[in-house]
Amino acid sequence: MRRDIVERESGKWVEKAIITEAQREEIIVLYPEGTKQNIFALFAVIFISIGVLIFALSDLTFMPTMMKIVLLLAVSTGLYLVGSNFYVREERQDLKWKSYYGISFILIGYFFFGATLLVIIQDYHIQLFSAWPFIIWSFIGIILCHLFENKYMYAFSIIVTLLSQVYSAFSFSSFSYLLLLLFILGYVPIVYQRGTKSFSYYFSIGLSLQFILLSINEIENYYWMFVFILLMYLFAYFITERVFAKVLTAVSIWTVMLYRMFESFYVQESYVFDEMSMQASFFISLAILLILGIALNWRQNRLAMMDLILFLPVFMLPFPYVWVIVILFIYAVYSLLIGYRDGMDERMKLGIGGFVIANLTLYTQYAWDSINRSLFFIIGGIILFGLSVLLDRVRKKQLDKGEDS
Amino acid sequence: MKKYILYGLLLLQIIIISTLIFLFEQIDETGKEIMIQTKAFEYEPYVAYNSSLYVDYKINEIDQATWTIEDELDYNTDVYVLLKKDSDGLFQVSEVALEDIWSGVEGDRVVLQASYGYYDRDSKKHYVNYKLEELYNVPEATEWKQGDILNVTWKIGKWGQFKLVGMEKVN
């Protein structure tokens, strides 16, 4: 809990004579004052970085190539050194107002290095058939992340790696396995070490985006995504770091739900099944992973078994788009019921998310032209309201039973 | 310890950049020169603000008879094209493959990597893109006009490097 909330709330407890002023002060001491951040420095980094890239690639054309490269590299080196000094000083002083000057300089230096690579590619007229300069750039970013453990460094570095993958996919129609390997081997140890929510989210979202590119762009069979996301979901069971495991599971489920929405539209196109090849390796891999999922959930958390329903290959059934919606509804209602019954916030969020996604899919598929939009959302709201009334009654009954016994 | 890793990183950056410069500076000594001919300009050639001009080469079109790949290719698939010098000193398409099966060719033959475009059923030709289609440092005041054909000379280095050596009007 944040210190300011504890301060505010504990004041009321003192007024009601629940605790004494002395006890209040003792409690407050347990919550150290949070570090405030100067996000302006980070916005400055974004602007300057964009400026650096434009400046190096278009405004510096008058300068001989060699001079340009030496200048950019020297500036990059200088910024790293200045940034590193600031960073060390800020870390040592444990300032309450974090300026982030150190990490800002380092990030700008990192972008100057990227600009140097791009200038070489441009001025030496290198025809790229793969994303190799971006792989180098990403690699340097990973080393910087290990050196300067900061969430903004981590976020920018992950963005560079992801954009490199996107560039490779769209410019060369090829997925870079090397970038994926770098991504996993480079960032997993940092997430493990830090164990913070932000790091875990950056990594998990980045990984699922790469899997989408791998399925659609490289393998060209969209259904492989279910295997990759299931792999990601099961990987969380083997992670000992709790926050990371929880985030990885949540992101896997959110990704598969959103992907189901995409699937429901995609499988309606007639050409999809003409071009799609059914690969036995997919079914074998999925079956193995589902069995592993059942075994793991059976041992650790039987309630989570229902998560696996989201990974079932319904595209083989007749009217697959209907089955997608059915699956989403079953999952959403189950998660809402279990989450509400057991007071599990995370499961409730997944249930609400699944419900909204299923509703939106259903509405855009069948009711866009026929039902009034406001009416549709009102119906959705009434269903949720009905569910909450029903669950309240169940809870009340349970409480009454508990009091009687 | 971290201080030394940072110094190592700075050194690594300098080594990477120096190696790339060293490799790319070699093109004048080790690069192979090829001359390829453009198709006649369909319209008045337009030199863009950055002094670049897009051209279509004759080698962008490959006859079905020369096309030896049996698979249907997706757009942007990598293909390798073997060019052979003809009696006029121009390089023409000799063979096509999905992999570089002619590594180490020398003399009057050269292998170019290209991206597959599409197949035109009417002309029975496959279109590929070599990424050599953009000429740079083109003088703004050229006398080229619609219907003109150019002979373009490129130096091909290793590591995907190309250097424009000359452009000459033929007709």
Side-chain angles (χ1 to χ4, degrees):
Chain A
M1 202 189 292
R2 274 166 45 190
R3 186 187 172 101
D4 53 339
I5 297 173
V6 176
E7 277 176 343
R8 196 183 59 219
E9 293 300 313
S10 60
K12 293 175 195 167
W13 303 339
V14 174
E15 275 173 29
K16 289 188 176 177
I18 299 168
I19 55 170
T20 62
E21 186 58 39
Q23 283 172 326
R24 180 185 178 232
E25 278 167 18
E26 274 180 53
I27 292 170
I28 290 172
V29 172
L30 295 175
Y31 296 85
E33 203 160 345
T35 309
K36 291 188 174 60
Q37 301 168 359
N38 176 7
I39 55 161
F40 294 112
L42 288 155
F43 277 109
V45 170
I46 296 171
F47 279 103
I48 293 171
S49 306
I50 295 168
V52 166
L53 295 176
I54 296 170
F55 175 70
L57 293 173
S58 65
D59 297 343
L60 269 182
T61 43
F62 63 91
M63 210 182 259
T65 304
M66 199 61 84
M67 195 189 283
K68 228 188 294 186
I69 292 168
V70 170
L71 181 73
L72 289 170
L73 198 57
V75 174
S76 168
T77 308
L79 285 166
Y80 281 153
L81 292 172
V82 173
S84 160
N85 273 333
F86 268 110
Y87 181 84
V88 171
R89 208 184 311 164
E90 283 164 4
E91 288 292 296
R92 272 192 203 142
Q93 287 174 344
D94 192 23
L95 299 169
K96 283 177 182 167
W97 171 262
K98 276 228 165 174
S99 61
Y100 286 123
Y101 290 135
I103 212 69
S104 305
F105 280 120
I106 291 159
L107 277 169
I108 298 170
Y110 177 52
F111 277 92
F112 262 91
F113 175 69
T116 317
L117 280 171
L118 297 180
V119 162
I120 290 178
I121 300 305
Q122 181 182 262
D123 283 21
Y124 282 102
H125 304 286
I126 310 301
Q127 314 294 352
L128 294 177
F129 285 93
S130 71
W132 65 262
F134 299 94
I135 294 173
I136 296 176
W137 197 5
S138 303
F139 177 65
I140 296 291
I142 289 168
I143 300 177
L144 284 171
C145 279
H146 281 273
L147 273 176
F148 306 102
E149 287 169 5
N150 175 282
K151 64 178 173 184
Y152 297 108
M153 180 71 241
Y154 192 74
F156 276 89
S157 174
I158 277 197
I159 288 170
V160 168
T161 313
L162 283 179
L163 288 180
S164 308
Q165 193 65 271
V166 171
Y167 177 73
S168 175
F170 288 101
S171 294
F172 316 116
S173 301
S174 73
F175 181 84
S176 172
Y177 290 98
L178 189 57
L179 270 173
L180 178 66
L181 199 70
L182 264 181
F183 188 81
I184 294 170
L185 296 181
Y187 295 118
V188 166
I190 304 171
V191 186
Y192 237 100
Q193 206 179 327
R194 297 286 294 187
T196 61
K197 258 191 175 178
S198 56
F199 277 49
S200 308
Y201 270 110
Y202 297 151
F203 175 82
S204 308
I205 293 170
L207 190 62
S208 53
L209 286 175
Q210 296 212 51
F211 282 150
I212 291 174
L213 286 174
L214 177 62
S215 315
I216 295 176
N217 212 284
E218 181 74 7
I219 303 175
E220 292 178 347
N221 273 324
Y222 87 98
Y223 52 71
W224 271 99
M225 178 71 177
F226 296 114
V227 167
F228 298 135
I229 299 297
L230 184 53
L231 204 63
M232 192 168 139
Y233 173 83
L234 295 178
F235 179 54
Y237 279 87
F238 298 96
I239 294 173
T240 47
E241 211 297 304
R242 255 191 69 237
V243 177
F244 182 28
K246 215 170 158 186
V247 170
L248 200 62
T249 308
V251 171
S252 311
I253 293 172
W254 278 104
T255 307
V256 79
M257 285 198 298
L258 289 168
Y259 202 70
R260 282 285 181 199
M261 189 180 184
F262 156 76
E263 184 190 26
S264 77
F265 297 107
Y266 186 65
V267 292
Q268 282 189 59
E269 303 291 341
S270 55
Y271 72 89
V272 169
F273 288 100
D274 298 338
E275 290 178 1
M276 193 190 289
S277 56
M278 296 290 175
Q279 291 170 312
S281 51
F282 163 75
F283 293 103
I284 295 166
S285 322
L286 190 70
I288 293 170
L289 292 176
L290 282 173
I291 292 167
L292 181 66
I294 292 169
L296 287 169
N297 280 323
W298 194 268
R299 267 180 43 202
Q300 295 181 20
N301 182 9
R302 285 186 197 181
L303 288 176
M305 198 100 78
M306 191 56 106
D307 293 346
L308 299 175
I309 195 179
L310 290 169
F311 299 93
L312 293 177
V314 289
F315 62 87
M316 302 182 312
L317 302 172
F319 308 109
Y321 45 94
V322 179
W323 286 108
V324 169
I325 297 167
V326 168
I327 277 183
L328 282 171
F329 266 117
I330 292 174
Y331 180 75
V333 172
Y334 172 82
S335 296
L336 278 170
L337 291 173
I338 295 296
Y340 206 87
R341 190 193 70 189
D342 299 345
M344 293 157 72
D345 279 355
E346 287 302 317
R347 187 126 314 259
M348 285 282 287
K349 278 180 202 162
L350 288 172
I352 292 168
F355 193 79
V356 170
I357 291 169
N359 264 308
L360 274 175
T361 314
L362 184 70
Y363 179 63
T364 39
Q365 293 268 22
Y366 300 104
W368 185 262
D369 296 324
S370 52
I371 298 183
N372 182 293
R373 261 146 251 179
S374 56
L375 186 66
F376 171 78
F377 286 105
I378 290 169
I379 292 170
I382 290 171
I383 293 172
L384 277 178
F385 193 68
L387 265 173
S388 84
V389 170
L390 198 76
L391 287 164
D392 268 341
R393 288 183 68 179
V394 171
R395 264 195 169 181
K396 209 179 161 194
K397 268 186 190 171
Q398 280 178 347
L399 283 173
D400 290 345
K401 262 187 196 173
E403 278 170 13
D404 291 344
S405 58
Chain B
M1 180 64 184
K2 280 194 172 178
K3 197 168 75 177
Y4 296 109
I5 300 175
L6 177 68
Y7 293 151
L9 176 79
L10 296 178
L11 193 66
L12 179 69
Q13 284 197 173
I14 293 167
I15 291 171
I16 290 170
I17 299 296
S18 311
T19 311
L20 291 177
I21 292 171
F22 173 76
L23 292 173
F24 298 144
E25 284 288 339
Q26 301 285 309
I27 191 161
D28 288 328
E29 287 92 52
T30 59
K32 191 166 185 175
E33 206 166 275
I34 63 163
M35 187 158 68
I36 44 182
Q37 196 165 69
T38 66
K39 294 201 291 184
F41 287 119
E42 272 187 60
Y43 306 99
E44 202 70 27
Y46 171 71
V47 179
Y49 75 98
N50 59 350
S51 307
S52 67
L53 172 70
Y54 276 91
V55 293
D56 280 326
Y57 297 104
K58 288 182 176 166
I59 58 169
N60 284 123
E61 296 177 348
I62 303 174
D63 291 331
Q64 181 64 39
T66 317
W67 191 262
T68 45
I69 299 170
E70 285 179 4
D71 303 342
E72 241 184 66
L73 301 184
D74 289 331
Y75 177 76
N76 242 351
T77 306
D78 286 349
V79 290
Y80 292 84
V81 182
L82 179 70
L83 301 182
K84 212 172 172 184
K85 202 186 215 175
D86 66 10
S87 52
D88 297 327
L90 292 167
F91 277 76
Q92 308 290 358
V93 176
S94 168
E95 283 177 63
V96 189
L98 283 173
E99 281 172 32
D100 184 3
I101 48 174
W102 315 277
S103 57
V105 288
E106 283 181 5
D108 59 356
R109 296 194 302 169
V110 69
V111 181
L112 292 187
Q113 191 175 351
S115 306
Y116 185 71
Y118 60 94
Y119 175 63
D120 186 346
R121 289 179 199 281
D122 295 332
S123 62
K124 291 189 175 159
K125 281 177 178 168
H126 293 267
Y127 286 79
V128 296
N129 190 304
Y130 297 93
K131 300 193 179 175
L132 296 176
E133 289 74 13
E134 186 185 5
L135 307 179
Y136 54 89
N137 293 343
V138 179
E140 264 182 59
T142 57
E143 290 175 359
W144 304 334
K145 52 187 187 301
Q146 189 180 1
D148 281 353
I149 294 172
L150 303 179
N151 277 348
V152 182
T153 309
W154 288 92
K155 266 222 159 149
I156 301 168
K158 289 170 187 170
W159 328 105
Q161 189 185 8
F162 293 88
K163 187 174 180 180
L164 187 59
V165 178
M167 299 163 272
E168 178 191 21
K169 195 175 108 174
V170 180
N171 52 345

